[in-house]
Amino acid sequence: MRSLSYLHKMIIFGLMLSTVPILLTGIAAFIYSSNQTELHRTQANQQLLEQIQSNVEHKLATVSYMLDQAVRSPITLRSLTGSNSLGRVSKLQAGDLQTEFQHMKSWEPLLDIILVNQSKDWLINHAGFYANTRFPLSLPMKDLIAYTLTSGWQLAPSTIFSNEDDDGQRISGQRLTGKGCIYHITLARTIPDASASSNAALIAGIPACYMQNPLAQSPTTEASTAGLIIINREQQVIAHPNESYIGQPLSAIGLLDRDNGELIQTLPPVMYSDAYAEREVQLANADYSLTYSPSTLKGWTYILISPENTLTQDYIKIGFHTLYISMAILLLSLLLAWLGSQRMLAPIRRILTQLGDNIIHKGHSVVPHQSVNKPDELEQIRLGVSQLSDAHSQLESTLNQHQNQIRTYAMMQLLQGKTSFKTLHSTLREQGYAKHPSTWQQIAVVALQPELINHSKYRMEDRALLLFAIQNMLEETLQPDQQLLPIVLEQHVVTVIGSTEGNLLLFSEHISRLTERLQQQIGEVLDLKVSIGLSQPHPFMSHIPQAYNEAIDALKHRMRLGTGIIVQYKQHDLASAAWAMTYPEAIEYSLLQSIQQADETVATQQLTELLEALFSLECTPEEYQYALMRLLTHILKLAQDNGIRLAQISQSHRSLFQELHILNSATEVEHWFSHQVILPVIHIFKERQVAQSQHISEKVIAIIQQDYDKDLTLDECAMRLHYNANYLSSVFRKETGASFSEYLTRYRLNIAKRWLDERDWTVKEIAERLRYTNPQNFIRSFRKWEGLTPGRYRERKRHPERAVKG
């Protein structure tokens, strides 16, 4: 596939540069418009719901007000107090009541109102006077009155307001009595001025189906696509577009929560500060938006349900409008990108022409014979520059690497005394130290050694990496005019420090401060303790090999002084002291005995005591080496006397004496003796003891299996095997986990169980054969180990069905 030219890349880049802002702007505009449309729909739903709620509650408040006026009306009171002895109301009083009821219906055409006198057994509505026997109440009046007095408007059956003589009237195509609607919203008022015996009340009601009328009359355009639901505080439907749901619980509608798909049975309360709440629901596999608001007067909740597909057309219009504008801007951006790229490419063409590259010709055609995968113009320039840079970097890296190796080798030769005096100054000049021999008045060698024994963070395998890190820190800490190149030599980091100060005391103080700061810095950065050895100050560069040996010898005092020290050569010189070392032979003897007995804990403790006794003496490092070699020689002699070969102890390619010679601290010596010498020898002795103990126990078990029916004792077994009885008892218990007598008793009882299963011998005979002097002793022992007597054991084995019944 042919790669794109730089011209095409610039055009694409310019197009993308304009496309991204346009795309982001279009998306932002679409989202903003959609959100505004959604916000408008939400606000419209809330306003519609507020209007419906206001209309419904205003109508209910009007009915409640008219009912309160009718309760206090003189006509109502006369109809109750003026009835005859038979409880009848005069025709004149009935007519007045009907006229007043008709007047109330003129304010609310669908209002149904009746006056009930339950004690006189009659009722009056707008249509006439009835005896209760002809027009019985479907709901007991007392219950209805009690509910409405405590909870306000109630949902009651429409049969309260209907009778067989009522043909109904129609206003605007609807029946005034509400026939066809099975529920009424009712409100009852007792008549306080009536006599106690009247037991009368006024009951008003509006058909529940009529509660949808305020929505249909609303001028809002979305009313035709929405539905109103009213529920009471018991989550019972009071109003619904579908009359069949009135009187049923909210869960009967079948509203599903769109988030979790669960059926909505109750609506959570709305915060007073919010006034409205919204939920996304699903009904009959269609998505709806549910907006609801509570009514604090009656405990009702007004719910408005509107389909969500009403916004689809608005979204489509917004999307197409945004797309048309974006496409026009993109075409303009493409034209500008093409023209701008042509002008910007002109300098690049001139550079390639000067470089002799003929890949670009007039008309931007490619030479036929060239590869179709040829990189673009800038990539060709970059590749050429990159090749030159890589070659330069590689050459410089190789030279630096060789230079570092040469300088390191030269320093090693200088420290080890392999550089002649004649070539010393020329060698230093070649390594960049031309001024050092002429300006330095004093020199000293510093040797640093990391302490890794028993370190919680580092292991011995990390020594090389840590030495490299210390070398870098030492090189960065000191100025180049104060030191020669630090190098890693064996297990130390070594450098030569010089000073133009001719005062010997001031130079020593300078070296002391420098090493203390360096030791502290290494501890803080690497969390590592180091020991530092210093040579004596020397006036000439030719004394560097001698100073190196002095620094290494100074580190040997770690044997007595411990780790993490800074020591100068001859600071603790004991060469002239009289030989006064008293070797702790008693502790060494006890240590050898513990090793031979394979007592690891005691041997480790005695090794610590022996080394503490040695290092508490004032001796030279060489004298400590002699004492440690003596200890190593005696341990190896003990191993050799017991048939242990040296290859079984150490697998190293160096001898143990060579390994001991390079140890410089008491901690290293103790760790090395413990893990490389003593513990391997103890493990060999332990293996031998385990093998011997197993062999002895096997012999004792064989004697028990052979002579279990004899008067067998531990002393007799010890005499047969030629061992001490106490030693034999401890070995046997250690290997088997039981004493000799316990093992013998257990084995005899196993034999007894086999005889009880296979032989018809009596318990007494079995006891005698197993060397029990008294059968009762045998029975007690058998019961102790098996939990039942021998006779019971035999019966259970031979008659298992009896044992089950028992």
Side-chain angles (χ1 to χ4, degrees), residues 41 269 300 589 767:
R41 183 186 66 86
W300 291 2
Y589 178 77

Side-chain angles (χ1 to χ4, degrees), residues 512-528:
S512 178
R513 291 192 302 269
L514 182 65
T515 52
E516 289 177 359
R517 186 174 75 251
L518 184 62
Q519 187 182 55
Q520 181 181 2
Q521 183 179 357
I522 294 173
E524 293 175 353
V525 176
L526 299 179
D527 190 18
L528 179 67

Side-chain angles (χ1 to χ4, degrees), residues 163 179 210 406 593:
N163 61 78
K179 285 190 175 181
Y210 174 67
I406 293 172
Q593 291 296 319

Side-chain angles (χ1 to χ4, degrees), residues 453-631:
I453 298 298
N454 298 327
H455 200 286
S456 59
K457 185 177 181 180
Y458 302 113
R459 298 177 299 175
M460 297 300 295
E461 293 80 359
D462 302 327
R463 181 185 295 275
L465 184 61
L466 291 172
L467 289 173
F468 177 74
I470 294 173
Q471 176 189 1
N472 291 336
M473 292 180 63
L474 184 59
E475 187 174 3
E476 294 173 358
T477 301
L478 300 180
Q479 297 297 327
D481 59 346
Q482 295 180 347
Q483 66 169 341
L484 300 183
L485 177 68
I487 65 169
V488 176
L489 194 56
E490 295 183 350
Q491 298 182 1
H492 312 90
V493 177
V494 184
T495 187
V496 179
I497 298 177
S499 174
T500 57
E501 178 63 49
N503 191 316
L504 184 61
L505 180 59
L506 294 178
F507 178 67
S508 298
E509 293 177 354
H510 169 70
I511 294 295
S512 178
R513 291 192 302 269
L514 182 65
T515 52
E516 289 177 359
R517 186 174 75 251
L518 184 62
Q519 187 182 55
Q520 181 181 2
Q521 183 179 357
I522 294 173
E524 293 175 353
V525 176
L526 299 179
D527 190 18
L528 179 67
K529 185 188 296 185
V530 295
S531 296
I532 302 177
L534 304 174
S535 69
Q536 290 289 328
H538 293 268
F540 304 110
M541 298 288 285
S542 58
H543 294 173
I544 289 178
Q546 178 183 350
Y548 167 70
N549 292 328
E550 291 177 356
I552 299 300
D553 289 340
L555 282 175
K556 294 181 179 180
H557 286 279
R558 295 165 57 245
M559 188 78 71
R560 180 175 61 87
L561 301 177
T563 58
I565 62 171
I566 300 176
V567 60
Q568 190 174 20
Y569 182 72
K570 289 190 176 181
Q571 184 179 358
H572 300 275
D573 189 13
L574 300 175
S576 60
W579 176 264
M581 172 177 282
T582 304
Y583 187 79
E585 295 182 357
I587 302 177
E588 182 193 66
Y589 178 77
S590 301
L591 174 62
L592 296 177
Q593 291 296 319
S594 300
I595 294 173
Q596 189 170 11
Q597 295 173 4
D599 193 337
E600 183 176 336
T601 303
V602 176
T604 303
Q605 181 180 358
Q606 290 173 346
L607 174 64
T608 303
E609 294 177 1
L610 189 146
L611 295 179
E612 288 178 353
L614 279 178
F615 295 128
S616 64
L617 302 174
E618 294 288 341
C619 300
T620 63
E622 290 78 8
E623 292 170 346
Y624 289 127
Q625 289 285 346
Y626 298 151
L628 295 175
M629 287 185 180
R630 174 179 176 178
L631 174 61

